[in-house]
PDB file of all heavy atoms in Angstrom:
ATOM      1  N   SER A 878      28.720 -18.770  54.383  1.00  0.00           N
ATOM      2  CA  SER A 878      28.494 -17.724  55.372  1.00  0.00           C
ATOM      3  C   SER A 878      28.992 -18.187  56.727  1.00  0.00           C
ATOM      4  O   SER A 878      29.125 -19.378  56.981  1.00  0.00           O
ATOM      5  CB  SER A 878      27.008 -17.364  55.452  1.00  0.00           C
ATOM      6  OG  SER A 878      26.277 -18.426  56.002  1.00  0.00           O
ATOM      7  N   TYR A 921      46.709 -33.349  41.907  1.00  0.00           N
ATOM      8  CA  TYR A 921      46.742 -34.488  42.822  1.00  0.00           C
ATOM      9  C   TYR A 921      45.727 -35.548  42.417  1.00  0.00           C
ATOM     10  O   TYR A 921      44.635 -35.244  41.926  1.00  0.00           O
ATOM     11  CB  TYR A 921      46.420 -34.052  44.250  1.00  0.00           C
ATOM     12  CG  TYR A 921      47.438 -33.143  44.898  1.00  0.00           C
ATOM     13  CD1 TYR A 921      47.072 -32.334  45.971  1.00  0.00           C
ATOM     14  CD2 TYR A 921      48.760 -33.088  44.464  1.00  0.00           C
ATOM     15  CE1 TYR A 921      47.980 -31.496  46.591  1.00  0.00           C
ATOM     16  CE2 TYR A 921      49.674 -32.256  45.068  1.00  0.00           C
ATOM     17  CZ  TYR A 921      49.288 -31.449  46.135  1.00  0.00           C
ATOM     18  OH  TYR A 921      50.189 -30.620  46.745  1.00  0.00           O
ATOM     19  N   ASP A 981      28.296 -32.578  57.769  1.00  0.00           N
ATOM     20  CA  ASP A 981      27.506 -32.793  58.979  1.00  0.00           C
ATOM     21  C   ASP A 981      26.058 -33.014  58.553  1.00  0.00           C
ATOM     22  O   ASP A 981      25.338 -32.075  58.215  1.00  0.00           O
ATOM     23  CB  ASP A 981      27.609 -31.584  59.908  1.00  0.00           C
ATOM     24  CG  ASP A 981      27.069 -31.883  61.293  1.00  0.00           C
ATOM     25  OD1 ASP A 981      26.255 -32.819  61.423  1.00  0.00           O
ATOM     26  OD2 ASP A 981      27.464 -31.192  62.257  1.00  0.00           O
ATOM     27  N   SER A 998      17.581 -32.128  32.868  1.00  0.00           N
ATOM     28  CA  SER A 998      18.947 -31.980  32.378  1.00  0.00           C
ATOM     29  C   SER A 998      19.118 -32.826  31.131  1.00  0.00           C
ATOM     30  O   SER A 998      18.318 -33.725  30.853  1.00  0.00           O
ATOM     31  CB  SER A 998      19.941 -32.416  33.467  1.00  0.00           C
ATOM     32  OG  SER A 998      21.269 -32.374  32.983  1.00  0.00           O
ATOM     33  N   ARG A1027      15.057 -39.493  43.017  1.00  0.00           N
ATOM     34  CA  ARG A1027      15.287 -40.397  41.892  1.00  0.00           C
ATOM     35  C   ARG A1027      15.828 -39.589  40.725  1.00  0.00           C
ATOM     36  O   ARG A1027      15.339 -38.490  40.444  1.00  0.00           O
ATOM     37  CB  ARG A1027      14.002 -41.106  41.457  1.00  0.00           C
ATOM     38  CG  ARG A1027      14.306 -42.197  40.401  1.00  0.00           C
ATOM     39  CD  ARG A1027      13.072 -42.755  39.743  1.00  0.00           C
ATOM     40  NE  ARG A1027      13.452 -43.726  38.716  1.00  0.00           N
ATOM     41  CZ  ARG A1027      12.673 -44.109  37.718  1.00  0.00           C
ATOM     42  NH1 ARG A1027      11.446 -43.623  37.605  1.00  0.00           N
ATOM     43  NH2 ARG A1027      13.103 -44.992  36.823  1.00  0.00           N
ATOM     44  N   LYS A1051      18.874 -37.588  69.180  1.00  0.00           N
ATOM     45  CA  LYS A1051      18.308 -37.463  70.515  1.00  0.00           C
ATOM     46  C   LYS A1051      19.277 -36.673  71.392  1.00  0.00           C
ATOM     47  O   LYS A1051      20.399 -37.114  71.627  1.00  0.00           O
ATOM     48  CB  LYS A1051      18.056 -38.850  71.122  1.00  0.00           C
ATOM     49  CG  LYS A1051      17.625 -38.822  72.591  1.00  0.00           C
ATOM     50  CD  LYS A1051      16.345 -38.016  72.823  1.00  0.00           C
ATOM     51  CE  LYS A1051      15.936 -38.067  74.294  1.00  0.00           C
ATOM     52  NZ  LYS A1051      14.762 -37.205  74.572  1.00  0.00           N
ATOM     53  N   ASN A1090      29.762 -44.421  20.963  1.00  0.00           N
ATOM     54  CA  ASN A1090      29.831 -45.339  22.104  1.00  0.00           C
ATOM     55  C   ASN A1090      29.865 -46.779  21.595  1.00  0.00           C
ATOM     56  O   ASN A1090      28.872 -47.273  21.050  1.00  0.00           O
ATOM     57  CB  ASN A1090      28.611 -45.126  23.010  1.00  0.00           C
ATOM     58  CG  ASN A1090      28.655 -45.981  24.260  1.00  0.00           C
ATOM     59  OD1 ASN A1090      29.640 -46.652  24.531  1.00  0.00           O
ATOM     60  ND2 ASN A1090      27.572 -45.956  25.022  1.00  0.00           N
ATOM     61  N   LEU A1159      38.907 -52.516  11.692  1.00  0.00           N
ATOM     62  CA  LEU A1159      38.883 -51.150  11.205  1.00  0.00           C
ATOM     63  C   LEU A1159      39.433 -51.046   9.780  1.00  0.00           C
ATOM     64  O   LEU A1159      40.301 -51.838   9.384  1.00  0.00           O
ATOM     65  CB  LEU A1159      39.692 -50.250  12.133  1.00  0.00           C
ATOM     66  CG  LEU A1159      39.220 -50.188  13.596  1.00  0.00           C
ATOM     67  CD1 LEU A1159      40.057 -49.195  14.379  1.00  0.00           C
ATOM     68  CD2 LEU A1159      37.748 -49.834  13.681  1.00  0.00           C
ATOM     69  N   PRO A1160      38.973 -50.067   9.033  1.00  0.00           N
ATOM     70  CA  PRO A1160      39.470 -49.898   7.654  1.00  0.00           C
ATOM     71  C   PRO A1160      40.988 -49.734   7.584  1.00  0.00           C
ATOM     72  O   PRO A1160      41.620 -50.233   6.639  1.00  0.00           O
ATOM     73  CB  PRO A1160      38.755 -48.634   7.174  1.00  0.00           C
ATOM     74  CG  PRO A1160      37.488 -48.598   7.977  1.00  0.00           C
ATOM     75  CD  PRO A1160      37.866 -49.150   9.325  1.00  0.00           C
ATOM     76  N   THR A1252      41.673 -43.490  65.227  1.00  0.00           N
ATOM     77  CA  THR A1252      40.842 -44.072  64.177  1.00  0.00           C
ATOM     78  C   THR A1252      41.207 -45.537  63.988  1.00  0.00           C
ATOM     79  O   THR A1252      42.387 -45.900  64.006  1.00  0.00           O
ATOM     80  CB  THR A1252      41.046 -43.341  62.837  1.00  0.00           C
ATOM     81  OG1 THR A1252      40.788 -41.953  63.008  1.00  0.00           O
ATOM     82  CG2 THR A1252      40.114 -43.881  61.765  1.00  0.00           C
ATOM     83  N   ARG A1347      45.855 -60.997  50.929  1.00  0.00           N
ATOM     84  CA  ARG A1347      44.913 -61.571  49.955  1.00  0.00           C
ATOM     85  C   ARG A1347      44.507 -62.960  50.420  1.00  0.00           C
ATOM     86  O   ARG A1347      45.328 -63.721  50.928  1.00  0.00           O
ATOM     87  CB  ARG A1347      45.563 -61.663  48.581  1.00  0.00           C
ATOM     88  CG  ARG A1347      44.730 -62.373  47.515  1.00  0.00           C
ATOM     89  CD  ARG A1347      45.578 -62.692  46.295  1.00  0.00           C
ATOM     90  NE  ARG A1347      44.835 -63.332  45.222  1.00  0.00           N
ATOM     91  CZ  ARG A1347      44.607 -64.641  45.127  1.00  0.00           C
ATOM     92  NH1 ARG A1347      45.073 -65.467  46.063  1.00  0.00           N
ATOM     93  NH2 ARG A1347      43.936 -65.143  44.102  1.00  0.00           N
ATOM     94  N   GLY A1362      43.765 -69.782  49.511  1.00  0.00           N
ATOM     95  CA  GLY A1362      44.052 -69.533  50.916  1.00  0.00           C
ATOM     96  C   GLY A1362      44.681 -68.171  51.160  1.00  0.00           C
ATOM     97  O   GLY A1362      44.763 -67.318  50.271  1.00  0.00           O
ATOM     98  N   LEU A1484      40.237 -14.457  42.901  1.00  0.00           N
ATOM     99  CA  LEU A1484      39.849 -13.083  43.192  1.00  0.00           C
ATOM    100  C   LEU A1484      38.341 -12.956  43.101  1.00  0.00           C
ATOM    101  O   LEU A1484      37.713 -13.509  42.200  1.00  0.00           O
ATOM    102  CB  LEU A1484      40.519 -12.127  42.208  1.00  0.00           C
ATOM    103  CG  LEU A1484      40.167 -10.629  42.292  1.00  0.00           C
ATOM    104  CD1 LEU A1484      41.383  -9.786  41.923  1.00  0.00           C
ATOM    105  CD2 LEU A1484      39.002 -10.294  41.325  1.00  0.00           C
ATOM    106  N   VAL A1629      11.708 -21.641  44.177  1.00  0.00           N
ATOM    107  CA  VAL A1629      13.063 -21.331  43.719  1.00  0.00           C
ATOM    108  C   VAL A1629      13.276 -21.912  42.320  1.00  0.00           C
ATOM    109  O   VAL A1629      13.019 -23.103  42.086  1.00  0.00           O
ATOM    110  CB  VAL A1629      14.119 -21.890  44.691  1.00  0.00           C
ATOM    111  CG1 VAL A1629      15.532 -21.536  44.212  1.00  0.00           C
ATOM    112  CG2 VAL A1629      13.884 -21.355  46.099  1.00  0.00           C
TER     113      VAL A1629
END
Side-chain angles (χ1 to χ4, degrees):
S878 69
Y921 294 158
D981 193 337
S998 176
R1027 188 191 177 200
K1051 173 59 178 175
N1090 184 7
L1159 300 184
T1252 304
R1347 174 193 182 275
L1484 176 146
V1629 181

